[in-house]
Amino acid sequence: IRHSEQHYFQLANFDLLTGLPNRVKFHERLSHTLVQAQRTHSRFALIYLDLDNFKAVNDRHGHEAGDLLLIEVAQRIQRCIRKADTVARLGGDEFVVILHEIKDQQDAGTAAQNLLDALAKPVALPGSTYEVSVSMGISIYPSDAQTSDELLKRADRAMYASKSLGRNRYHFFTTELLTLSFDSSPAPLMPAS
């Protein structure tokens, strides 16, 4: 019975492919982080990551190659963040990082740049090597939003700003983003040279 309970806990809270917390577990951790930050009057950041042109990998090389890419991306993200931080897979090619107890916006920018650098290294897939890029959006508590849902929505909005500016970059949320519409049509994925 204990083994079955553990198995169902894993299925309910963690992504089967990457082993990362899933959407359910992420929201639980985000709520906990928010309560803690309110209590200690501290800041934290959300980084919303979306792989650029992931669909092209699945279309050209199949879902097995796409899965291998997602696993590699998950591992690289985990290696970039502190043990106290959280990385989760929301689904598809979307990941999110909670950066706990940051001093300022620059801390979040440094972490995002480290992620960009780590993910820029070519990934070997069956039959080819590809350069993968990622677009990221960052929101910060308490300056950008006071609730979990708003923080996530605003990090997502900033991620679309990154995509509209040419991809493979990060963008901080600003209130101006609330009035803009973004074109998210995919650009071609290029093999690594």
Side-chain angles (χ1 to χ4, degrees):
I1 291 171
R2 193 176 302 129
H3 178 71
S4 292
E5 287 174 350
Q6 179 62 27
H7 178 70
Y8 287 121
F9 176 81
Q10 285 293 121
L11 288 176
N13 292 282
F14 294 90
D15 177 56
L16 290 176
L17 180 66
T18 63
L20 295 176
N22 63 15
R23 184 179 291 271
V24 171
K25 191 68 172 172
F26 162 73
H27 281 289
E28 180 185 306
R29 289 189 181 177
L30 180 56
S31 295
H32 177 75
T33 302
L34 183 66
V35 168
Q36 195 172 18
Q38 289 168 339
R39 190 180 318 121
T40 60
H41 304 288
S42 58
R43 291 184 185 89
F44 70 90
L46 280 188
I47 303 179
Y48 199 115
L49 302 92
D50 186 83
L51 298 185
D52 298 325
N53 313 308
F54 176 70
K55 185 178 182 299
V57 175
N58 281 335
D59 290 349
R60 288 186 193 158
H61 302 285
H63 290 282
E64 185 178 335
D67 287 351
L68 291 172
L69 178 61
L70 291 171
I71 291 166
E72 177 64 23
V73 165
Q75 291 171 351
R76 290 184 186 189
I77 294 171
Q78 284 182 295
R79 288 193 296 263
C80 279
I81 65 170
R82 302 169 298 184
K83 287 196 187 314
D85 296 330
T86 298
V87 57
R89 181 181 176 211
L90 297 184
D93 62 340
E94 296 177 328
F95 297 84
V96 67
V97 173
I98 305 172
L99 296 175
H100 299 271
E101 295 189 22
I102 60 168
K103 290 192 292 290
D104 52 31
Q105 183 174 328
Q106 186 175 343
D107 282 352
T110 299
Q113 187 60 55
N114 290 340
L115 288 165
L116 278 175
D117 294 343
L119 295 170
K121 296 178 178 119
V123 176
L125 296 177
S128 194
T129 301
Y130 279 86
E131 291 180 358
V132 177
S133 69
V134 62
S135 295
M136 293 185 270
I138 304 170
S139 64
I140 296 175
Y141 173 86
S143 55
D144 293 331
Q146 304 291 310
T147 68
S148 300
D149 285 345
E150 280 302 309
L151 281 165
L152 189 59
K153 285 178 189 171
R154 291 180 174 193
D156 180 60
R157 193 89 179 132
M159 181 273 295
Y160 276 104
S162 292
K163 285 196 180 289
S164 73
L165 291 168
R167 301 173 176 10
N168 201 33
R169 65 186 66 228
Y170 64 89
H171 198 287
F172 286 97
F173 172 80
T174 62
T175 53
E176 290 79 18
L177 296 181
L178 296 173
T179 61
L180 300 175
S181 62
F182 300 109
D183 173 25
S184 60
S185 57
L189 181 72
M190 301 303 292
S193 45

